[in-house]
Amino acid sequence: MKYYIFTILSATTNFRRNKLRTFLTSLGILIGVASVVLLISLGLGLKQYITDQFKGLGSNLIFIYPGKFLQGNSFRPGGGMLGGAEFDKSDVDSLKKSRYIAYVSPAFIKTIEISTTNKTEIGDLLASTEDVFPVLNLKMQYGRSYKKTDVDKRNKVIVIGPELAKKLFDDFEGALGEDIKIEDQRYKIIGISEAKGGGGLGGSNFDSFVYMPYTAGLSFNPDKKFFALYVSAKSEDVYELAKRDIQRILERRYESGDFSVLEQTDLLNVINSVFGAINTVLVMIGAISLIVGGIGIMNIMYVSVVERTKEIGIRRAVGATRNNILIQFLTEAVLLSLIGGIGGIIISIVFVLLINSYFPAQINILSIIIAFVVSTLIGIIFGVVPARKAANMSPIEAIRYE
Amino acid sequence: MIKLQDVYKEYTIGDSLLEILQNINLEIKKGEFISIIGPSGSGKSTLMYMMGLLDIPTKGKVLMNDVDTSKLSDEKLSRLRNEKIGFVFQQFNLINKFTVLENILLPTLYNPHTLDYDPQIKAITLLKRFGLDHRTHSYPNKISGGEQQRAAIARALILEPEIIFADEPTGNLDTKTGETILSLLEDLNKKEKITIVIVTHEAHIAEKTKRSISIQDGKIIK
């Protein structure tokens, strides 16, 4: 025990004597660990954010997107970008005829600029029908949602999310009835929705959306085409029947490969596989910097072994075995790597806490444990060769080294 | 306690064979105070390191307490150095980043056995005895050569060795300080019956020992 404590103390003595060198050497590992932990945290946070959002949606939801997203049960990369069906109002009407379907909400989504008399903010527009509220399970906090008559009469009315309302107005109730300008058109705020939290449908937050009758926003969408259709089945019992009906109805108009009928779980799978792939690539990039950091440690350990040849000789003369010397240098390499690793973990935790109010990031205990283990392993892997060199030195040559 | 039988030490440098030691037969008995004298390059230091189990012969045997050390593992050799042998060097060879006390305690770290005394107390006793108590927490490069050498002797004594090898122990010291170091070693031999082997190139130092072995060109000549 005394021996191990001294070995560690002896290593820290060396670090204290070479502060700058220690710092620079562990910096490589620090950057590597920080980037890996941070990327995992951001990835997990984003995934959680979107998953939470889905949980907040109405039940028995079915999503219809153009293009073919799934192949069997797995996600087909780029599926949504291959074009395919372009939905319009007639699709909404024909789907609504199905006796298994309760609501159909078409969706046109666009990033827009919203201005009051003295403020301008960026938000997302979701132009749809009155069905959007039951489908997305959106309740009003103040005012009312827009109705079928608003859609039919093309009333320039909007409902805004609470986060956007907070940015634009100091007082929610005062916001009701106010006029705001969206790209040169005036709209009246008739409602503010309840906070839902989480992320939008793969995009922004529901709480900062502008909800508008699609008929009032034709200047943004002159083709009257929709990016997606969100459908609510009448009950859980008819969910599968509703899906089949949708398939049948849409196939009258489109090729079966031109659209995808997805469940929440399908969509979550898609999101998971996309994030999985992105995360893997990012973590691999982080891992490369860990290897580079490891090489830095190896390099400096070699220098250290040469510099301390005489010390190795002295230790051998007073009774240190080869193993003692090996353990001594290995301990130093591992500690060097751990300093970087712990520094990286601390920096990523601080960073995650700092950005948490702007971006959903989560520190995951497992990633911290892995970072810890990985930095230990890097210390061992990159420290063992220099340590062996030290251990295998002939004591007599070492002690005579000048 | 140490016996060398037909010991040779050779190095090949490029094509040429360098014979450092040739046909060395030597016995050092327990409690002896002995010097090995020879000019520089005669092989006397190599001989000392061979007896101190820091180096191994190319041919021949080194026996310690009748055990053939050529058959011992690194671990066993290290254990013998740790427990039975103390070294004192011309360059003192203290580790500068450790304090005097830490240097003296260094051998105890590599000793796996529980000692029947507290090494800390023993070290402090030695420091007092050698007049170094005010240097306990000093760093070696901040104290004089004589003090460093006394600290090095204290380190050699911490595990109560049977034999101390001193390689030109006064080589880096002025005459007066050298004298005190020598009488210190003499004292250890007399009072504590520790076998002392001094390697030197100076005749007046060799004269102080009870037995002197002369070595030249790798051979014992007297």
Side-chain angles (χ1 to χ4, degrees):
Chain A
M1 195 59 204
K2 182 183 65 177
Y3 164 71
Y4 292 103
I5 291 169
F6 187 82
T7 307
I8 290 170
L9 285 179
S10 162
T12 53
T13 308
N14 284 321
F15 297 158
R16 270 204 305 280
R17 286 165 65 91
N18 296 298
K19 286 193 194 80
L20 186 64
R21 184 203 276 189
T22 306
F23 169 71
L24 291 175
T25 310
S26 41
L27 197 60
I29 299 295
L30 185 145
I31 292 169
V33 166
S35 52
V36 170
V37 173
L38 213 51
L39 291 172
I40 292 176
S41 305
L42 296 181
L44 282 174
L46 205 56
K47 200 167 117 182
Q48 189 62 44
Y49 181 71
I50 291 167
T51 313
D52 286 349
Q53 189 68 52
F54 273 96
K55 282 184 192 151
L57 295 175
S59 52
N60 306 323
L61 265 185
I62 300 161
F63 303 85
I64 308 164
Y65 289 105
K68 195 155 173 64
F69 270 100
L70 295 180
Q71 209 152 39
N73 265 333
S74 63
F75 172 63
R76 190 164 144 254
M81 287 157 223
L82 295 174
E86 290 188 302
F87 306 119
D88 56 25
K89 185 63 169 54
S90 67
D91 295 316
V92 177
D93 294 338
S94 34
L95 287 172
K96 280 196 104 164
K97 282 179 194 148
S98 160
R99 57 192 168 113
Y100 305 118
I101 289 172
Y103 304 104
V104 179
S105 160
F108 171 76
I109 295 178
K110 187 175 190 269
T111 302
I112 46 160
E113 250 182 33
I114 311 134
S115 323
T116 61
T117 42
N118 50 13
K119 270 188 199 159
T120 301
E121 288 289 340
I122 300 288
D124 287 293
L125 170 72
L126 174 55
S128 185
T129 63
E130 71 284 0
D131 279 5
V132 71
F133 301 104
V135 164
L136 296 183
N137 196 21
L138 272 178
K139 305 261 183 335
M140 290 302 115
Q141 193 178 169
Y142 294 103
R144 64 168 180 95
S145 57
Y146 61 78
K147 303 281 184 295
K148 187 171 186 305
T149 49
D150 295 312
V151 179
D152 292 344
K153 290 183 178 166
R154 302 186 179 186
N155 286 340
K156 290 195 181 281
V157 292
I158 54 167
V159 166
I160 60 175
E163 218 164 89
L164 184 63
K166 207 179 290 169
K167 284 185 193 161
L168 289 170
F169 302 98
D170 299 325
D171 160 31
F172 281 13
E173 276 176 278
L176 284 180
E178 285 289 317
D179 272 359
I180 56 163
K181 232 162 108 181
I182 300 172
E183 304 192 350
D184 292 335
Q185 307 249 355
R186 294 200 158 274
Y187 293 89
K188 189 183 283 295
I189 302 172
I190 56 165
I192 295 170
S193 62
E194 267 181 13
K196 275 180 93 76
L201 294 163
S204 316
N205 194 320
F206 280 134
D207 296 347
S208 53
F209 262 98
V210 172
Y211 303 93
M212 178 193 286
Y214 80 98
T215 49
L218 290 181
S219 62
F220 313 120
N221 183 18
D223 298 341
K224 300 184 203 173
K225 297 291 183 197
F226 298 112
F227 143 81
L229 302 172
Y230 307 141
V231 175
S232 201
K234 274 196 174 142
S235 73
E236 210 184 323
D237 302 334
V238 298
Y239 188 79
E240 281 306 316
L241 291 169
K243 265 180 80 178
R244 225 174 292 160
D245 241 14
I246 293 168
Q247 193 76 33
R248 185 180 53 79
I249 293 165
L250 291 180
E251 271 178 22
R252 280 192 230 140
R253 203 175 161 198
Y254 308 104
E255 294 292 319
S256 67
D258 284 348
F259 63 91
S260 303
V261 179
L262 306 173
E263 298 177 18
Q264 288 198 28
T265 48
D266 292 331
L267 226 45
L268 280 178
N269 286 343
V270 169
I271 289 163
N272 282 347
S273 59
V274 172
F275 277 114
I278 294 172
N279 236 337
T280 309
V281 172
L282 292 178
V283 167
M284 271 168 70
I285 294 169
I288 291 172
S289 60
L290 278 177
I291 292 171
V292 175
I295 293 169
I297 288 183
M298 192 169 183
N299 188 25
I300 223 66
M301 288 313 294
Y302 264 121
V303 173
S304 184
V305 167
V306 173
E307 277 177 353
R308 284 151 66 197
T309 302
K310 185 118 190 161
E311 180 192 321
I312 295 166
I314 296 168
R315 285 179 188 259
R316 294 282 274 142
V318 301
T321 62
R322 278 198 193 107
N323 257 335
N324 291 143
I325 302 292
L326 185 88
I327 287 169
Q328 184 197 334
F329 280 90
L330 213 49
T331 306
E332 262 176 54
V334 169
L335 284 179
L336 207 49
S337 183
L338 270 180
I339 290 173
I342 292 169
I345 291 170
I346 292 172
I347 282 180
S348 47
I349 290 176
V350 170
F351 198 79
V352 165
L353 291 178
L354 282 180
I355 63 164
N356 218 287
S357 39
Y358 311 101
F359 192 88
Q362 292 189 331
I363 280 291
N364 167 286
I365 295 293
L366 188 69
S367 68
I368 288 177
I369 294 169
I370 290 173
F372 212 81
V373 172
V374 166
S375 13
T376 309
L377 281 180
I378 284 179
I380 294 173
I381 292 166
F382 289 95
V384 76
V385 182
R388 277 181 65 97
K389 181 187 156 100
N392 290 334
M393 262 179 199
S394 138
I396 190 77
E397 278 168 33
I399 209 155
R400 282 174 166 172
Y401 184 86
E402 289 302 330
Chain B
M1 81 166 291
I2 290 184
K3 212 186 269 177
L4 275 70
Q5 292 176 344
D6 307 320
V7 164
Y8 286 78
K9 183 71 186 179
E10 294 159 354
Y11 289 105
T12 28
I13 296 173
D15 291 335
S16 55
L17 183 76
L18 216 62
E19 295 181 303
I20 310 288
L21 294 174
Q22 295 172 54
N23 194 30
I24 303 284
N25 286 285
L26 175 66
E27 186 177 0
I28 292 167
K29 294 205 172 67
K30 208 170 164 59
E32 266 198 291
F33 188 40
I34 183 171
S35 60
I36 300 171
I37 185 166
S40 67
S42 59
K44 59 186 187 302
S45 290
T46 305
L47 176 62
M48 184 201 96
Y49 289 128
M50 201 84 73
M51 293 190 288
L53 310 181
L54 274 172
D55 205 353
I56 42 166
T58 317
K59 267 187 284 184
K61 279 182 188 170
V62 177
L63 290 97
M64 186 168 198
N65 297 333
D66 298 320
V67 175
D68 182 359
T69 59
S70 65
K71 297 205 166 52
L72 298 180
S73 65
D74 173 68
E75 194 145 335
K76 292 224 168 80
L77 287 174
S78 301
R79 181 79 53 86
L80 281 175
R81 281 200 299 274
N82 184 245
E83 290 172 353
K84 307 241 186 266
I85 301 169
F87 288 99
V88 175
F89 304 92
Q90 182 177 358
Q91 313 283 352
F92 322 128
N93 282 348
L94 297 166
I95 298 174
N96 283 330
K97 67 184 170 197
F98 298 143
T99 62
V100 166
L101 179 66
E102 285 166 341
N103 266 287
I104 293 172
L105 289 171
L106 188 65
T108 63
L109 290 174
Y110 299 117
N111 191 288
H113 303 299
T114 323
L115 302 168
D116 54 7
Y117 54 87
D118 181 347
Q120 193 91 16
I121 293 169
K122 169 108 181 166
I124 291 176
T125 316
L126 285 167
L127 281 164
K128 272 195 192 131
R129 178 174 162 196
F130 294 164
L132 287 172
D133 33 353
H134 62 302
R135 298 299 196 198
T136 309
H137 301 293
S138 304
Y139 289 93
N141 47 1
K142 299 278 191 288
I143 63 176
S144 74
E147 287 172 326
Q148 287 191 56
Q149 197 59 300
R150 277 178 281 156
I153 295 172
R155 177 181 64 190
L157 289 170
I158 190 74
L159 287 176
E160 306 184 336
E162 291 178 13
I163 184 164
I164 287 179
F165 291 100
D167 187 9
E168 306 269 14
T170 62
N172 273 15
L173 302 172
D174 60 74
T175 324
K176 197 168 161 256
T177 318
E179 291 289 332
T180 48
I181 293 295
L182 276 182
S183 53
L184 214 158
L185 291 172
E186 215 173 334
D187 218 39
L188 290 174
N189 173 257
K190 251 187 223 152
K191 291 187 182 153
E192 294 179 31
K193 307 288 172 230
I194 298 172
T195 314
I196 308 271
V197 179
I198 297 176
V199 170
T200 183
H201 66 280
E202 291 173 281
H204 73 274
I205 292 171
E207 278 164 16
K208 300 205 176 210
T209 59
K210 289 174 196 155
R211 179 157 77 111
S212 189
I213 294 161
S214 292
I215 183 165
Q216 205 167 4
D217 299 327
K219 290 176 198 149
I220 291 175
I221 51 171
K222 200 175 80 180

